[in-house]
Amino acid sequence: MVEIRVEAIRKKARISTHSHIRGLGLDEKGRALPVADGLVGQVEAREAAGIVVQIVKSGRMSGRGILLVGPPGTGKTAIAIAIARELGEDTPFVIMSGSEIYSSEKKKTEILMEALRRALGVRLREKRLVYEGVVKDIKIRRVRHPMAPYLAVPKEARIVLATKDEEVPLTVSEDVTEQIIELGIRKGDVIWIDAETGRVFREGKAKDFAEAKTYDIETKRLVEIPKGPVKKEKEIVRTLTLHELDTYVASQRALISFFGFGFEREIPPEVRREVDETVKKWIESGKGEIVPGVLFIDDAHMLDIEAFSFLTRAMESEFSPLIILATNRGIARIRGTDIESPHGMPLDLLDRLLIIPTKPYSPDEIKEIIKIRAEEEEIKLTNEALEELVRLASETSLRYAVQLLEPARIIAGENNREEVTVEDVRKARRLFIDLSASVKYLKEYESKFLK
């Protein structure tokens, strides 16, 4: 008889380079802890970023931006992500590279404007008259389709909504019935229906509801059964970006939304002015508030003089997110000119930026970073393998050492080992060469390469 072998299933999850970042890792007094929230070292840079977060929260960042400068692999992107985490969960965070502004379909300024408005949110608070409760009973009445007599279509529904204090039967129209079917609403679901628009929202499945069918493994969120009357005033809180509002208004004007297509061409300036005026009215009436987000532009030296001029003006506008630029260049030419400048940026823009430098990591800090990444990727390392990776990071780069983690894990698995050993790391090093080895290889076989 053939032996049947049962193996554990490895959980597959997409792990990004900075998925371990939780915040800036500061204490109550704003001092950086050596290792905290996924960040290691860069004490001065993290404390400076903490001050920036305080300035943003106090609403006094207008007219200024941030520039993160430092050699490659010193945590510039990690600090930008940590700033966004510190500002709050619903803070819009847009990340792009300086090279993304060059497109054959849109102007550079249009791409930057869209990114800026994606990084600005509006938190809307409005009180709506709603019917809210747990669905105790639901019956859908169907009728024959007028054009297809063998096809039955929903006409109306009768549902019974209940709270802990009241139970109300409701008869709803065809539009509401279609939403109920589309959302897959069943007995035991907690829903609310907007009394004015008829929009249906499902909050989840009611806890401890006897008539609802339950499963050992639930995919729906469990929520408490509402209290009070079924018909009530409910405060609805939503956060939308300015770009979402721009796209909605533009698509309405172009009647594109009627056909179900997205709005992809450039948005007219008058549409944005209309959205800005609407947002101002919401703010003045207390209905909404601006949620300042973060626009992070990596490789900012790839921007040209036109883009730099646009960003200088954007920083001083009424609606502007926190703009964070990052670069690893020293003295470089400003694209679109013959002028050389620090970091390849115009001096008038640099005057408007708070510059935060990052420094190369020490061996001890490199060791902590590799341990964090190995834990994030669920890779077990022996002490010797960890020391070998630290040595490689010091001789080559931190990024190269981190990139060897997954190949080394696969090599260990092929040898029926759960722990990565120093031999696995060295084999991965031989298979995947670093930059210095690549240069040596080019010189060795220079005559064989095409020119």
Side-chain angles (χ1 to χ4, degrees):
M1 182 177 177
V2 179
E3 181 184 356
I4 300 175
R5 187 172 62 180
V6 179
E7 296 182 352
I9 298 175
R10 178 176 169 83
K11 183 176 67 176
K12 295 180 180 176
R14 183 172 176 83
I15 301 172
S16 67
T17 308
H18 299 98
S19 58
H20 61 284
I21 304 298
R22 307 285 183 263
L24 286 169
L26 306 177
D27 62 15
E28 298 81 8
K29 296 183 178 179
R31 291 191 293 258
L33 301 172
V35 181
D37 289 340
L39 291 181
V40 178
Q42 303 297 348
V43 170
E44 293 179 352
R46 287 157 58 196
E47 290 178 358
I51 293 173
V52 168
V53 170
Q54 294 182 41
I55 296 173
V56 172
K57 288 183 176 180
S58 64
R60 298 180 181 181
M61 196 65 194
S62 178
R64 288 176 287 186
I66 305 298
L67 175 62
L68 296 169
V69 297
T74 52
K76 297 183 290 295
T77 302
I79 290 175
I81 293 173
I83 290 174
R85 298 278 193 273
E86 293 285 348
L87 289 173
E89 289 184 3
D90 61 346
T91 299
F93 179 69
V94 178
I95 183 170
M96 63 180 293
S97 171
S99 60
E100 292 181 34
I101 68 169
Y102 303 104
S103 168
S104 60
E105 298 179 357
K106 294 181 181 179
K107 298 195 296 287
K108 292 175 282 189
T109 52
E110 175 66 18
I111 294 172
L112 284 172
M113 178 61 80
E114 287 186 9
L116 285 165
R117 293 177 76 83
R118 279 194 181 98
L120 267 175
V122 184
R123 186 180 291 117
L124 296 176
R125 299 178 184 274
E126 54 180 337
K127 289 189 176 181
R128 309 284 293 183
L129 189 63
V130 302
Y131 292 90
E132 182 181 34
V134 59
V135 178
K136 290 196 69 175
D137 189 32
I138 180 168
K139 292 180 181 177
I140 296 173
R141 186 169 75 87
R142 301 177 186 269
V143 297
R144 288 184 178 180
H145 194 283
M147 305 298 293
Y150 297 105
L151 177 65
V153 294
K155 179 66 176 176
E156 64 180 24
R158 182 173 175 81
I159 62 175
V160 178
L161 288 183
T163 65
K164 291 183 177 180
D165 306 304
E166 189 181 25
E167 182 177 312
V168 175
L170 298 172
T171 303
V172 297
S173 65
E174 182 179 345
D175 292 340
V176 178
T177 304
E178 288 176 356
Q179 293 180 66
I180 289 173
I181 295 172
E182 185 178 347
L183 292 172
I185 291 172
R186 300 286 184 269
K187 285 183 181 181
D189 288 345
V190 176
I191 68 170
W192 57 269
I193 305 172
D194 193 317
E196 299 175 26
T197 64
R199 290 185 64 190
V200 181
F201 298 86
R202 183 178 62 194
E203 296 182 355
K205 179 172 281 190
K207 290 182 181 178
D208 305 322
F209 186 68
E211 298 179 37
K213 187 174 182 180
T214 58
Y215 301 91
D216 294 328
I217 301 175
E218 283 284 0
T219 56
K220 293 181 181 179
R221 186 165 64 101
L222 295 176
V223 296
E224 298 290 341
I225 298 175
K227 299 178 182 179
V230 171
K231 188 175 182 180
K232 67 186 78 172
E233 269 197 341
K234 182 181 179 70
E235 186 181 59
I236 311 299
V237 181
R238 291 179 294 166
T239 301
L240 302 171
T241 66
L242 292 188
H243 180 67
E244 288 173 338
L245 295 171
D246 294 340
T247 305
Y248 176 76
V249 173
S251 62
Q252 290 292 313
R253 285 191 172 193
L255 295 178
I256 294 178
S257 62
F258 179 80
F259 298 100
F261 299 122
F263 193 89
E264 295 183 355
R265 67 169 188 263
E266 295 184 2
I267 296 174
E270 57 269 19
V271 169
R272 291 196 172 107
R273 284 196 293 268
E274 180 182 336
V275 170
D276 289 347
E277 290 300 319
T278 303
V279 170
K280 287 178 184 177
K281 291 178 182 176
W282 288 342
I283 294 171
E284 291 170 359
S285 63
K287 189 177 177 182
E289 61 178 313
I290 289 290
V291 181
V294 176
L295 170 59
F296 175 60
I297 304 178
D298 203 2
D299 295 325
H301 53 269
M302 294 296 295
L303 302 174
D304 62 9
I305 190 66
E306 295 175 7
F308 286 130
S309 177
F310 179 84
L311 287 176
T312 301
R313 180 173 171 270
M315 285 180 191
E316 298 175 348
S317 65
E318 187 176 6
F319 292 142
S320 176
L322 173 62
I323 299 175
I324 302 179
L325 308 177
T327 180
N328 53 23
R329 297 299 169 92
I331 303 297
R333 184 175 63 86
I334 303 172
R335 288 178 66 98
T337 73
D338 295 324
I339 303 170
E340 288 194 342
S341 176
H343 315 302
M345 300 181 187
L347 295 178
D348 59 338
L349 175 63
L350 289 172
D351 282 341
R352 291 173 169 81
L353 300 174
L354 294 172
I355 302 176
I356 301 176
T358 57
K359 300 173 183 177
Y361 292 106
S362 67
D364 289 339
E365 291 170 344
I366 290 174
K367 187 175 184 177
E368 288 296 330
I369 293 170
I370 293 175
K371 285 168 64 177
I372 290 171
R373 287 307 305 171
E375 184 179 345
E376 182 73 12
E377 298 181 26
E378 299 180 358
I379 297 173
K380 296 179 181 179
L381 298 172
T382 63
N383 292 331
E384 293 79 10
L386 178 59
E387 293 298 334
E388 180 69 11
L389 287 168
V390 172
R391 185 184 65 81
L392 288 175
S394 302
E395 292 177 358
T396 57
S397 72
L398 176 59
R399 284 198 180 114
Y400 176 68
V402 170
Q403 286 170 352
L404 290 181
L405 284 171
E406 187 62 20
R409 183 199 67 79
I410 293 173
I411 292 169
E414 290 173 348
N415 292 283
N416 298 319
R417 290 195 306 270
E418 291 186 0
E419 245 184 347
V420 173
T421 65
V422 66
E423 288 79 14
D424 302 324
V425 173
R426 287 171 180 168
K427 184 176 180 179
R429 168 83 191 270
R430 291 194 300 271
L431 295 175
F432 302 96
I433 60 176
D434 65 289
L435 178 60
S436 59
S438 179
V439 172
K440 183 179 178 181
Y441 171 78
L442 288 174
K443 289 180 178 178
E444 184 178 354
Y445 296 98
E446 185 176 3
S447 60
K448 299 184 180 295
F449 279 94
L450 297 177
K451 295 184 179 179

